[in-house]
Amino acid sequence: MKRRLFVFTALTMALASGQAMAQKNDTQWPDRPIRMLVGSAPGGGTDAMARAIADQLGPLLNQSVVVENRPGVSNTLAVDMTAKSTDGHTMVMGVSTAHAIAPHLFKLGYDSNKDLVPVVFVGAVPNVLVVTNDLPAKSVSDLVSLAKKQPNAINFASSGAGSTQHIAAEIFKDAADIKIEHIPYRGSAPALIDLVSGRVQMSFDTMPSVIGHIKNDKIRPLAVTTSERSKQLPDVPTMAEAGLPDVSVRAWYGIYMPASTPPEVQSKVHGLVNQILEMPVTKERLEGIGSEAKPISQEEFKAFHDAEYQRYGDIIRKNNITID
Protein backbone atom coordinates (compact mmCIF):
# COMPACT_ATOMS: atom_id res chain seq x y z
CA MET A 1 0.00 0.00 0.00
CA LYS A 2 2.81 2.39 0.95
CA ARG A 3 4.63 1.62 -2.32
CA ARG A 4 1.51 2.37 -4.37
CA LEU A 5 1.03 5.60 -2.48
CA PHE A 6 4.67 6.55 -3.10
CA VAL A 7 4.35 5.87 -6.87
CA PHE A 8 1.09 7.83 -7.07
CA THR A 9 2.62 10.74 -5.18
CA ALA A 10 5.72 10.71 -7.38
CA LEU A 11 3.63 10.72 -10.56
CA THR A 12 1.45 13.53 -9.25
CA MET A 13 4.50 15.61 -8.37
CA ALA A 14 6.07 14.96 -11.77
CA LEU A 15 2.89 15.98 -13.54
CA ALA A 16 2.57 19.12 -11.45
CA SER A 17 6.22 19.92 -12.08
CA GLY A 18 5.77 19.49 -15.82
CA GLN A 19 2.73 21.75 -15.84
CA ALA A 20 4.55 24.32 -13.78
CA MET A 21 7.53 24.20 -16.13
CA ALA A 22 5.27 24.68 -19.16
CA GLN A 23 3.60 27.64 -17.48
CA LYS A 24 6.99 29.00 -16.48
CA ASN A 25 8.32 28.69 -20.04
CA ASP A 26 5.20 30.37 -21.37
CA THR A 27 5.38 33.27 -18.95
CA GLN A 28 9.15 33.64 -19.36
CA TRP A 29 9.02 33.72 -23.16
CA PRO A 30 10.44 35.88 -24.52
CA ASP A 31 13.47 36.26 -22.31
CA ARG A 32 15.52 38.12 -24.91
CA PRO A 33 14.92 40.37 -27.96
CA ILE A 34 12.95 38.83 -30.83
CA ARG A 35 14.08 38.90 -34.42
CA MET A 36 11.41 39.34 -37.07
CA LEU A 37 13.08 38.60 -40.39
CA VAL A 38 11.93 40.13 -43.66
CA GLY A 39 12.90 38.60 -46.98
CA SER A 40 12.99 41.84 -48.96
CA ALA A 41 14.68 45.22 -48.81
CA PRO A 42 13.43 48.08 -46.61
CA GLY A 43 10.59 50.07 -48.14
CA GLY A 44 8.67 47.17 -49.71
CA GLY A 45 5.30 45.68 -48.80
CA THR A 46 6.62 42.89 -46.60
CA ASP A 47 8.79 45.35 -44.71
CA ALA A 48 5.81 47.66 -44.15
CA MET A 49 3.71 44.79 -42.80
CA ALA A 50 6.49 43.64 -40.46
CA ARG A 51 7.06 47.07 -38.97
CA ALA A 52 3.35 47.69 -38.46
CA ILE A 53 3.22 44.56 -36.28
CA ALA A 54 6.64 44.77 -34.63
CA ASP A 55 6.07 48.32 -33.38
CA GLN A 56 3.09 47.13 -31.33
CA LEU A 57 4.27 43.61 -30.45
CA GLY A 58 7.40 44.72 -28.61
CA PRO A 59 5.59 46.69 -25.87
CA LEU A 60 3.05 43.88 -25.37
CA LEU A 61 5.87 41.36 -24.83
CA ASN A 62 8.08 43.75 -22.83
CA GLN A 63 10.90 42.90 -25.22
CA SER A 64 12.38 44.48 -28.31
CA VAL A 65 11.12 43.11 -31.62
CA VAL A 66 13.85 43.89 -34.14
CA VAL A 67 13.00 43.82 -37.83
CA GLU A 68 15.90 42.48 -39.87
CA ASN A 69 15.88 42.70 -43.66
CA ARG A 70 17.52 39.71 -45.36
CA PRO A 71 16.61 40.14 -49.04
CA GLY A 72 17.37 37.60 -51.74
CA VAL A 73 16.18 34.55 -53.66
CA SER A 74 12.56 35.64 -53.88
CA ASN A 75 12.16 36.31 -50.13
CA THR A 76 13.40 32.81 -49.22
CA LEU A 77 16.69 33.67 -47.49
CA ALA A 78 14.85 35.05 -44.47
CA VAL A 79 12.55 32.03 -44.39
CA ASP A 80 15.49 29.65 -44.61
CA MET A 81 17.19 31.41 -41.69
CA THR A 82 14.00 31.19 -39.64
CA ALA A 83 13.44 27.51 -40.42
CA LYS A 84 16.97 26.70 -39.25
CA SER A 85 17.03 28.97 -36.19
CA THR A 86 17.27 27.30 -32.78
CA ASP A 87 17.20 30.30 -30.43
CA GLY A 88 13.43 30.15 -29.95
CA HIS A 89 13.15 33.89 -30.60
CA THR A 90 13.17 34.15 -34.39
CA MET A 91 10.14 34.56 -36.65
CA VAL A 92 9.62 35.71 -40.20
CA MET A 93 7.06 37.96 -41.80
CA GLY A 94 6.20 35.45 -44.46
CA VAL A 95 4.80 36.37 -47.83
CA SER A 96 3.08 34.25 -50.47
CA THR A 97 6.18 34.50 -52.66
CA ALA A 98 8.33 32.48 -50.26
CA HIS A 99 5.74 30.06 -48.89
CA ALA A 100 3.43 29.27 -51.81
CA ILE A 101 5.36 30.15 -54.98
CA ALA A 102 9.12 29.68 -54.52
CA PRO A 103 8.85 26.01 -53.42
CA HIS A 104 7.58 25.20 -56.93
CA LEU A 105 10.41 27.07 -58.66
CA PHE A 106 13.55 26.76 -56.54
CA LYS A 107 15.51 24.02 -54.84
CA LEU A 108 15.25 25.32 -51.28
CA GLY A 109 17.02 24.42 -48.09
CA TYR A 110 13.73 24.17 -46.20
CA ASP A 111 10.33 22.56 -46.61
CA SER A 112 7.62 25.23 -46.43
CA ASN A 113 5.09 22.66 -45.26
CA LYS A 114 7.20 20.89 -42.62
CA ASP A 115 9.99 23.10 -41.29
CA LEU A 116 7.84 26.10 -40.48
CA VAL A 117 4.45 26.62 -38.90
CA PRO A 118 1.97 29.32 -39.94
CA VAL A 119 1.21 31.17 -36.71
CA VAL A 120 -0.90 34.20 -37.57
CA PHE A 121 -2.31 35.68 -40.76
CA VAL A 122 -1.65 39.41 -41.08
CA GLY A 123 -3.32 40.49 -44.31
CA ALA A 124 -3.40 40.50 -48.09
CA VAL A 125 -2.99 43.20 -50.70
CA PRO A 126 -3.66 43.41 -54.43
CA ASN A 127 -0.94 43.62 -57.01
CA VAL A 128 -1.22 46.69 -59.20
CA LEU A 129 -0.20 46.92 -62.84
CA VAL A 130 1.78 50.15 -63.00
CA VAL A 131 3.75 51.73 -65.83
CA THR A 132 6.28 54.51 -66.10
CA ASN A 133 4.84 57.90 -66.96
CA ASP A 134 6.87 57.99 -70.16
CA LEU A 135 5.16 54.91 -71.58
CA PRO A 136 2.36 55.88 -74.02
CA ALA A 137 -0.21 53.54 -72.44
CA LYS A 138 -3.23 54.86 -70.58
CA SER A 139 -5.02 51.52 -70.25
CA VAL A 140 -4.37 47.78 -70.27
CA SER A 141 -5.53 47.57 -73.89
CA ASP A 142 -3.06 50.34 -74.81
CA LEU A 143 -0.27 48.40 -73.14
CA VAL A 144 -1.19 45.16 -74.90
CA SER A 145 -1.31 46.91 -78.28
CA LEU A 146 2.06 48.52 -77.67
CA ALA A 147 3.62 45.19 -76.64
CA LYS A 148 2.24 43.46 -79.73
CA LYS A 149 3.73 46.13 -81.97
CA GLN A 150 7.12 45.96 -80.22
CA PRO A 151 7.78 42.39 -79.00
CA ASN A 152 10.30 42.20 -76.13
CA ALA A 153 10.78 45.98 -76.17
CA ILE A 154 8.95 46.47 -72.87
CA ASN A 155 10.69 45.39 -69.67
CA PHE A 156 8.83 44.50 -66.48
CA ALA A 157 10.40 44.73 -63.04
CA SER A 158 9.79 42.39 -60.12
CA SER A 159 11.08 42.04 -56.57
CA GLY A 160 12.72 38.79 -57.65
CA ALA A 161 12.29 35.68 -59.76
CA GLY A 162 9.29 33.75 -58.52
CA SER A 163 7.69 36.73 -56.75
CA THR A 164 4.00 37.54 -57.10
CA GLN A 165 5.07 40.38 -59.41
CA HIS A 166 6.86 37.88 -61.62
CA ILE A 167 4.00 35.35 -61.57
CA ALA A 168 1.37 38.01 -62.34
CA ALA A 169 3.37 39.31 -65.30
CA GLU A 170 3.90 35.80 -66.68
CA ILE A 171 0.16 35.10 -66.45
CA PHE A 172 -0.45 38.48 -68.12
CA LYS A 173 1.94 37.59 -70.96
CA ASP A 174 0.10 34.33 -71.56
CA ALA A 175 -3.41 35.81 -71.29
CA ALA A 176 -2.63 38.76 -73.59
CA ASP A 177 -0.38 36.74 -75.92
CA ILE A 178 2.47 39.25 -75.79
CA LYS A 179 6.24 39.16 -75.29
CA ILE A 180 7.82 41.31 -72.55
CA GLU A 181 11.16 40.95 -70.77
CA HIS A 182 11.62 40.19 -67.06
CA ILE A 183 14.08 42.24 -65.00
CA PRO A 184 14.32 40.81 -61.44
CA TYR A 185 15.51 42.92 -58.49
CA ARG A 186 16.37 42.26 -54.85
CA GLY A 187 13.11 43.69 -53.52
CA SER A 188 10.40 46.12 -54.55
CA ALA A 189 12.20 49.28 -53.44
CA PRO A 190 15.10 49.05 -55.95
CA ALA A 191 12.71 47.86 -58.67
CA LEU A 192 10.52 50.91 -58.19
CA ILE A 193 13.49 53.25 -58.31
CA ASP A 194 14.19 52.05 -61.84
CA LEU A 195 10.50 52.11 -62.75
CA VAL A 196 10.10 55.72 -61.64
CA SER A 197 13.26 56.69 -63.53
CA GLY A 198 12.08 54.89 -66.67
CA ARG A 199 14.83 52.27 -66.80
CA VAL A 200 12.06 49.65 -66.81
CA GLN A 201 8.57 50.24 -68.15
CA MET A 202 6.10 48.26 -66.05
CA SER A 203 5.52 46.14 -62.96
CA PHE A 204 2.80 44.19 -61.15
CA ASP A 205 3.94 45.37 -57.74
CA THR A 206 2.05 45.19 -54.46
CA MET A 207 -0.18 48.00 -53.21
CA PRO A 208 2.00 48.91 -50.17
CA SER A 209 5.01 49.39 -52.43
CA VAL A 210 3.37 51.49 -55.12
CA ILE A 211 0.61 53.50 -53.46
CA GLY A 212 2.89 56.37 -52.43
CA HIS A 213 4.41 56.66 -55.91
CA ILE A 214 0.94 56.56 -57.48
CA LYS A 215 -0.40 59.31 -55.23
CA ASN A 216 2.66 61.42 -56.04
CA ASP A 217 2.05 60.87 -59.79
CA LYS A 218 5.44 59.22 -60.26
CA ILE A 219 3.96 56.13 -61.93
CA ARG A 220 0.61 55.35 -63.59
CA PRO A 221 -1.74 52.57 -62.42
CA LEU A 222 -3.60 50.65 -65.12
CA ALA A 223 -5.36 47.85 -63.21
CA VAL A 224 -5.52 45.85 -59.97
CA THR A 225 -5.27 42.06 -59.97
CA THR A 226 -8.15 41.34 -57.58
CA SER A 227 -11.79 40.57 -58.34
CA GLU A 228 -12.95 43.87 -56.85
CA ARG A 229 -11.61 47.40 -57.14
CA SER A 230 -9.36 48.62 -54.37
CA LYS A 231 -10.57 51.17 -51.83
CA GLN A 232 -7.21 52.85 -52.24
CA LEU A 233 -7.62 53.18 -56.02
CA PRO A 234 -11.37 53.22 -56.68
CA ASP A 235 -10.96 54.69 -60.18
CA VAL A 236 -8.55 51.96 -61.31
CA PRO A 237 -10.24 48.99 -63.03
CA THR A 238 -9.65 45.34 -62.26
CA MET A 239 -7.89 43.10 -64.75
CA ALA A 240 -11.25 41.38 -65.31
CA GLU A 241 -12.80 44.72 -66.25
CA ALA A 242 -9.88 45.22 -68.61
CA GLY A 243 -10.76 41.94 -70.33
CA LEU A 244 -8.20 39.64 -68.69
CA PRO A 245 -9.99 37.86 -65.79
CA ASP A 246 -7.32 35.13 -65.53
CA VAL A 247 -4.78 37.65 -64.26
CA SER A 248 -5.79 37.31 -60.61
CA VAL A 249 -2.94 37.51 -58.09
CA ARG A 250 -2.54 39.05 -54.65
CA ALA A 251 0.24 39.06 -52.10
CA TRP A 252 -0.57 37.83 -48.59
CA TYR A 253 1.44 38.08 -45.39
CA GLY A 254 1.65 36.13 -42.15
CA ILE A 255 4.03 35.32 -39.32
CA TYR A 256 5.74 31.92 -39.48
CA MET A 257 7.94 30.34 -36.83
CA PRO A 258 10.16 27.23 -36.78
CA ALA A 259 8.17 24.00 -36.52
CA SER A 260 9.93 23.31 -33.20
CA THR A 261 8.28 26.34 -31.57
CA PRO A 262 6.28 25.21 -28.51
CA PRO A 263 2.48 25.35 -29.00
CA GLU A 264 2.08 27.71 -26.05
CA VAL A 265 4.48 30.20 -27.66
CA GLN A 266 2.66 29.94 -30.98
CA SER A 267 -0.62 30.55 -29.18
CA LYS A 268 0.83 33.55 -27.36
CA VAL A 269 2.11 35.16 -30.58
CA HIS A 270 -1.13 34.35 -32.39
CA GLY A 271 -3.27 35.96 -29.70
CA LEU A 272 -1.15 39.08 -29.35
CA VAL A 273 -0.84 39.74 -33.08
CA ASN A 274 -4.58 39.31 -33.57
CA GLN A 275 -5.01 41.78 -30.72
CA ILE A 276 -2.69 44.17 -32.57
CA LEU A 277 -4.69 43.75 -35.78
CA GLU A 278 -7.77 45.00 -33.94
CA MET A 279 -6.04 48.18 -32.76
CA PRO A 280 -7.27 51.32 -34.56
CA VAL A 281 -3.69 52.48 -35.11
CA THR A 282 -2.81 49.19 -36.83
CA LYS A 283 -5.98 49.12 -38.90
CA GLU A 284 -5.31 52.64 -40.10
CA ARG A 285 -1.70 51.81 -40.88
CA LEU A 286 -2.50 48.63 -42.81
CA GLU A 287 -5.46 50.12 -44.65
CA GLY A 288 -3.16 52.96 -45.64
CA ILE A 289 -1.06 50.48 -47.62
CA GLY A 290 -4.06 48.67 -49.10
CA SER A 291 -4.53 45.83 -46.61
CA GLU A 292 -7.49 45.12 -44.37
CA ALA A 293 -6.87 43.46 -41.01
CA LYS A 294 -9.13 40.40 -40.79
CA PRO A 295 -7.98 38.12 -37.95
CA ILE A 296 -8.50 34.38 -38.46
CA SER A 297 -7.66 31.34 -36.36
CA GLN A 298 -4.33 29.55 -36.65
CA GLU A 299 -6.13 26.52 -38.09
CA GLU A 300 -7.76 28.69 -40.75
CA PHE A 301 -4.38 30.18 -41.63
CA LYS A 302 -2.90 26.70 -42.03
CA ALA A 303 -5.77 25.68 -44.34
CA PHE A 304 -5.30 28.90 -46.32
CA HIS A 305 -1.55 28.26 -46.62
CA ASP A 306 -2.19 24.74 -47.95
CA ALA A 307 -4.75 25.97 -50.49
CA GLU A 308 -2.49 28.75 -51.78
CA TYR A 309 0.46 26.36 -52.02
CA GLN A 310 -1.62 24.10 -54.24
CA ARG A 311 -3.13 26.96 -56.28
CA TYR A 312 0.20 28.54 -57.18
CA GLY A 313 1.70 25.17 -57.97
CA ASP A 314 -1.13 24.60 -60.46
CA ILE A 315 -0.67 28.07 -61.99
CA ILE A 316 3.08 27.61 -62.39
CA ARG A 317 2.69 24.20 -64.03
CA LYS A 318 -0.18 25.34 -66.28
CA ASN A 319 1.73 28.38 -67.57
CA ASN A 320 5.12 26.61 -67.72
CA ILE A 321 6.65 29.32 -65.54
CA THR A 322 10.33 28.92 -64.75
CA ILE A 323 13.04 31.12 -63.25
CA ASP A 324 15.28 30.85 -66.32
Side-chain angles (χ1 to χ4, degrees), residues 145-172:
S145 296
L146 189 62
K148 286 183 179 292
K149 292 177 182 177
Q150 303 175 41
N152 296 317
I154 297 176
N155 296 325
F156 72 90
S158 81
S159 63
S163 61
T164 57
Q165 297 98 313
H166 180 200
I167 298 298
E170 292 290 347
I171 297 173
F172 175 60

Side-chain angles (χ1 to χ4, degrees), residues 18 194 231 279 292 311 313:
D194 278 6
K231 293 179 181 178
M279 294 178 178
E292 293 185 7
R311 184 175 81 92

Side-chain angles (χ1 to χ4, degrees), residues 68-88:
E68 293 185 15
N69 297 84
R70 298 301 179 99
V73 196
S74 196
N75 287 266
T76 63
L77 288 183
V79 181
D80 186 81
M81 290 177 64
T82 302
K84 295 174 181 176
S85 67
T86 58
D87 61 12

Side-chain angles (χ1 to χ4, degrees), residues 25 51 53 55 88 103 127 133 147 170 198 207 259 283:
N25 288 340
R51 295 180 190 280
I53 300 302
D55 288 351
N127 286 67
N133 287 330
E170 292 290 347
M207 182 71 76
K283 287 186 176 182

